[in-house]
Amino acid sequence: MSTSYPPPPAATGVTPLDQAIHKAATDGWTVVNRDSHNAVLNKGGKVRHVMHGIISLLTCGVWLWGWAIVAILGAKQMMTLSMDANGHVTQQGPKSRTPYLAGVAGLFVVLAIIAALTGGGGDDTTATDGGDSAAQEAPVEEAAAKDEEKAKPKPKAKPMVVSTEDLIKEFQDSEFTADKKYKGKTLKITGGVVSSIDAQVFDDDKYDVSFDSGGEFEILSVNCRGVADKYLDTLEPGQEVTVVGKFDDGGDLGIEMKSCDF
């Protein structure tokens, strides 16, 4: 989402960026980074997962749907405000939460339909058990050959090497072009500096590691989801890293990676 704010009608000492930040603050946004022309703000991220987990246990899982909705609505959001030389302020973000809410609702409907279909089944399968047993048998040699073919390791493709600074710049210039370039690719990202290590919104036992190129006021970062414990024990903010992982998606909050090795 992008919104433009016109410059003020008179020079009052307050810049259009100050006005936009003040307006966002009244809606609950907090400034994370700020310079004379740019500001990064966030909101949310204070969902009490332990309390919702206890309620879900007490209600035999019924509250899981409510927990999911509360977690989506209360998840941390990021927004960027940028002012050009003419005093016009452009807003980027926050990312819409409607697709996530629609996904939860769709999952609920699918599970309800499955429960309705499976709940009305009878004992018709007992009459055909004897006839099906012979049809399910397969030659031992054929099965062994298929298992051996599946067991053969497939050669791994060499990862694409790219620096953290160049990767972030590509997504800043054109998210569409960068998504198309790296879709389905394994990347080796060099020159990274760890910026944060945070627990995931929906699972406090899993952690995400974010890193950038170490420059000041960087808006985007590279986010590794579900990092293995063996790496978490050796990582800390400010540490230089080289990461090999599979590209997942690019968005307003950064470049999403999975299966990361440090």
Side-chain angles (χ1 to χ4, degrees), residues 4 23-24 30 60 66 71 103 136-137 142 147 166 174-175 184 192 196 207 225 233 235-236 262:
S4 295
K23 181 179 179 181
T30 303
C60 298
Q136 292 174 355
E137 296 179 358
E142 182 179 351
D147 291 341
D166 291 340
S174 173
E175 181 180 333
S196 66
Y207 288 81
R225 302 303 183 189
D233 293 336
L235 293 174
E236 61 182 10
F262 290 80

Side-chain angles (χ1 to χ4, degrees), residues 1 68-69 71-75 77 94-107 202:
M1 180 179 70
I69 294 173
I72 293 172
L73 294 178
Q77 297 176 280
K95 205 168 185 178
S96 175
R97 293 171 291 186
T98 301
Y100 302 101
L101 294 173
V104 171
L107 180 60
F202 296 107

Side-chain angles (χ1 to χ4, degrees), residues 191-219:
V193 178
V194 177
S195 56
S196 66
I197 304 174
D198 297 317
Q200 291 186 353
V201 174
F202 296 107
D203 191 345
D204 292 334
D205 294 329
K206 293 184 179 180
Y207 288 81
D208 300 334
V209 176
S210 299
F211 61 94
D212 51 34
S213 62
E216 294 185 358
F217 305 115
E218 288 191 332
I219 298 174

Side-chain angles (χ1 to χ4, degrees), residues 50-63:
V50 175
M51 180 191 72
H52 290 290
I54 294 173
I55 295 175
S56 298
L57 290 175
L58 295 176
T59 58
C60 298
V62 175
W63 181 242

Side-chain angles (χ1 to χ4, degrees), residues 20-43:
I21 291 174
H22 177 73
K23 181 179 179 181
T26 60
D27 293 331
W29 290 89
T30 303
V31 177
V32 178
N33 285 317
R34 163 75 193 273
D35 60 18
S36 59
H37 290 84
N38 302 279
V40 180
L41 303 89
N42 67 13
K43 181 170 68 170

Side-chain angles (χ1 to χ4, degrees), residues 17-157:
L17 182 60
D18 293 326
Q19 293 179 335
I21 291 174
H22 177 73
K23 181 179 179 181
T26 60
D27 293 331
W29 290 89
T30 303
V31 177
V32 178
N33 285 317
R34 163 75 193 273
D35 60 18
S36 59
H37 290 84
N38 302 279
V40 180
L41 303 89
N42 67 13
K43 181 170 68 170
K46 297 182 179 180
V47 180
R48 300 173 65 182
H49 293 289
V50 175
M51 180 191 72
H52 290 290
I54 294 173
I55 295 175
S56 298
L57 290 175
L58 295 176
T59 58
C60 298
V62 175
W63 181 242
L64 286 173
W65 301 106
W67 185 5
I69 294 173
V70 171
I72 293 172
L73 294 178
K76 181 181 289 187
Q77 297 176 280
M78 298 290 293
M79 177 173 66
T80 303
L81 299 175
S82 302
M83 182 177 68
D84 60 20
N86 296 322
H88 292 279
V89 177
T90 302
Q91 172 186 323
Q92 293 183 340
K95 205 168 185 178
S96 175
R97 293 171 291 186
T98 301
Y100 302 101
L101 294 173
V104 171
L107 180 60
F108 178 80
V109 172
V110 170
L111 291 178
I113 293 174
I114 293 175
L117 293 176
T118 57
D123 297 328
D124 296 340
T125 57
T126 57
T128 60
D129 286 344
D132 291 340
S133 60
Q136 292 174 355
E137 296 179 358
V140 177
E141 294 81 6
E142 182 179 351
K146 290 182 178 180
D147 291 341
E148 183 178 355
E149 184 178 352
K150 291 181 180 179
K152 292 180 180 178
K154 296 181 179 180
K156 293 184 178 180

